[in-house]
Amino acid sequence: KAGVTQTPRYLIKTRGQQVTLSCSPISGHRSVSWYQQTPGQGLQFLFEYFSETQRNKGNFPGRFSGRQFSNSRSEMNVSTLELGDSALYLCASRGSARETQYFGPGTRLLVL
Amino acid sequence: KQEVTQIPAALSVPEGENLVLNCSFTDSAIYNLQWFRQDPGKGLTSLLLIQSSQREQTSGRLNASLDKSSGRSTLYIAASQPGDSATYLCAVLELNNQGGKLIFGQGTELSVKP
């Protein structure tokens, strides 16, 4: 089974721009979650999607949004980028709640 | 609010040593607990998953225990090897009718010297 894939792997943007990140979950997994990892804050939960519905949202501003498509692929969008948005963005998928969450390799975003 | 703490933040050991990494959490209402490994600049690799009703899980040289009542988990690594050098993260899954989210500790950076 192919693992979780994320594109692009690296991105450089300037302040004020917007960015869209993509995540393809493991085949059959309907739950997709997004996390932000920074040296200062560690790993923080952004949101979770299940069957195209956002089920849970972390404590991030409205500039961070996402969606999930009928094939379970998910996108995350960050508008009006700030320097502090520079981070590794990780996507994870799982089957049921009892199962392991599998993470993708991440997208490293640098905001200049 | 759930908080997850990992001690120590960094650990350096000679090859062959057995070692224990610690994880504590403040709210025992967890669904499960996972241990992950992260190599520099990479994503997370799942090592072990312990359901809230379980006490321990084993995989090869790794053994993870869970004591929900005291809010603690340990990851035991036997006969450490240089290839075990990485950051180890524990995370608890909080689940409610709005979905689930993992809450992570800050990690323990492990260095195994040849």
Side-chain angles (χ1 to χ4, degrees), chain A residues 28-31 50 93-102:
Chain A
H29 285 184
R30 292 159 65 191
S31 168
F50 183 87
S93 78
R94 62 179 168 86
S96 72
R98 290 183 59 82
E99 295 176 26
T100 297
Q101 293 226 28
Y102 294 94

Side-chain angles (χ1 to χ4, degrees), chain A residues 2-9 22-26 32-35 37 43 88-94 101-108, chain B residues 36-39 41-46:
Chain A
V4 178
T5 59
Q6 293 186 245
T7 57
R9 295 293 311 280
S22 180
C23 171
S24 291
I26 290 173
V32 174
S33 298
W34 289 88
Y35 292 83
Q37 186 176 32
L43 273 151
L88 180 66
Y89 290 89
L90 293 163
C91 162
S93 78
R94 62 179 168 86
Q101 293 226 28
Y102 294 94
F103 281 78
T107 294
R108 186 164 296 281
Chain B
F36 294 91
R37 167 190 172 134
Q38 185 174 34
D39 293 286
K42 308 284 187 183
L44 307 183
T45 300
S46 180

Side-chain angles (χ1 to χ4, degrees), chain A residues 9-10 33 35 37 39-45 48 54-58 88 90 94 97-106 108, chain B residues 31-32 34 36 38 40-46 48-49 51 53-54 89 93-106:
Chain A
R9 295 293 311 280
Y10 304 94
S33 298
Y35 292 83
Q37 186 176 32
Q41 299 297 317
L43 273 151
Q44 293 185 287
F45 172 77
E48 179 195 19
Q54 186 182 91
R55 287 208 301 192
N56 210 348
K57 191 176 194 305
L88 180 66
L90 293 163
R94 62 179 168 86
R98 290 183 59 82
E99 295 176 26
T100 297
Q101 293 226 28
Y102 294 94
F103 281 78
R108 186 164 296 281
Chain B
Y31 195 81
N32 59 41
Q34 274 189 258
F36 294 91
Q38 185 174 34
K42 308 284 187 183
L44 307 183
T45 300
S46 180
L48 289 165
L49 169 69
Q51 304 296 344
S53 58
Q54 297 176 321
L89 294 147
L93 178 67
E94 287 193 336
L95 198 67
N96 55 36
N97 56 10
Q98 295 170 325
K101 63 179 180 181
L102 285 173
I103 300 172
F104 285 86
Q106 293 285 59

Side-chain angles (χ1 to χ4, degrees), chain A residues 1-17:
Chain A
K1 238 187 210 183
V4 178
T5 59
Q6 293 186 245
T7 57
R9 295 293 311 280
Y10 304 94
L11 266 179
I12 300 176
K13 293 285 187 179
T14 56
R15 277 182 302 173
Q17 287 187 309

Side-chain angles (χ1 to χ4, degrees), chain B residues 41-78:
Chain B
K42 308 284 187 183
L44 307 183
T45 300
S46 180
L47 298 173
L48 289 165
L49 169 69
I50 312 177
Q51 304 296 344
S52 62
S53 58
Q54 297 176 321
R55 298 285 292 184
E56 66 176 337
Q57 283 287 336
T58 298
S59 176
R61 295 183 294 110
L62 305 180
N63 176 278
S65 68
L66 174 64
D67 184 342
K68 259 184 59 172
S69 61
S70 66
R72 294 174 192 270
S73 176
T74 62
L75 178 67
Y76 174 82
I77 302 177

